Amino acid sequence: MLIELNTIVYYESNFFGMLTWIIGSFCLSILYLQRGWHKNTIYENGVLVNGKIIDWNEIVNYKWNNGYKEGLFKNVRYYELMVTLPKSKFWDLDNKVKLKVSYDDKGVVDDILQRLAN
């Protein structure tokens, strides 16, 4: 009976700490779910990566990979653009981002990158 009493007292004394941990974990999971929901996208102002727009002049380096074909029933052709971003925050583990660029839009994106990227 002493073991059960000790367990009850332990959980009663740590109730607010455990409740804070549960609420914090829930909020972090919503944040990471929201960040993962956004796809990396190329805009006129820059590149949208993990919900944050990176300006064109912040891009350190970029490289085009070969053209790819996707889909069984639809003929979608695209290029893969590997963009290197600066490491500025301690939680950004990987500063290389892969972007799919339409086969027809490669020339336009390449012109912008040559003109505006470092």
Side-chain angles (χ1 to χ4, degrees), residues 42-47 54-62 108-118:
I42 297 174
Y43 287 110
E44 193 174 311
N45 309 15
V47 180
I54 307 296
D55 197 33
W56 288 112
N57 58 7
E58 293 180 38
I59 294 174
V60 176
N61 194 6
Y62 68 94
V108 175
V109 174
D110 196 39
D111 289 342
I112 292 171
L113 284 169
Q114 287 178 1
R115 193 167 22 101
L116 298 175
N118 287 333

Side-chain angles (χ1 to χ4, degrees), residues 10-79:
Y10 173 76
Y11 283 115
E12 282 181 351
S13 65
N14 289 330
F15 175 73
F16 291 110
M18 287 191 305
L19 187 64
T20 304
W21 183 81
I22 290 170
I23 292 171
S25 297
F26 181 72
C27 290
L28 280 175
S29 63
I30 289 175
L31 175 71
Y32 284 120
L33 182 68
Q34 187 267 342
R35 287 182 78 189
W37 192 267
H38 290 301
K39 291 187 176 183
N40 298 335
T41 312
I42 297 174
Y43 287 110
E44 193 174 311
N45 309 15
V47 180
L48 180 70
V49 177
N50 294 331
K52 179 184 173 192
I53 291 197
I54 307 296
D55 197 33
W56 288 112
N57 58 7
E58 293 180 38
I59 294 174
V60 176
N61 194 6
Y62 68 94
K63 181 177 109 175
W64 289 99
N65 291 337
N66 295 334
Y68 298 101
K69 205 174 203 184
E70 185 176 80
L72 294 173
F73 301 108
K74 54 184 177 179
N75 190 10
V76 178
R77 296 171 62 189
Y78 67 93
Y79 285 100

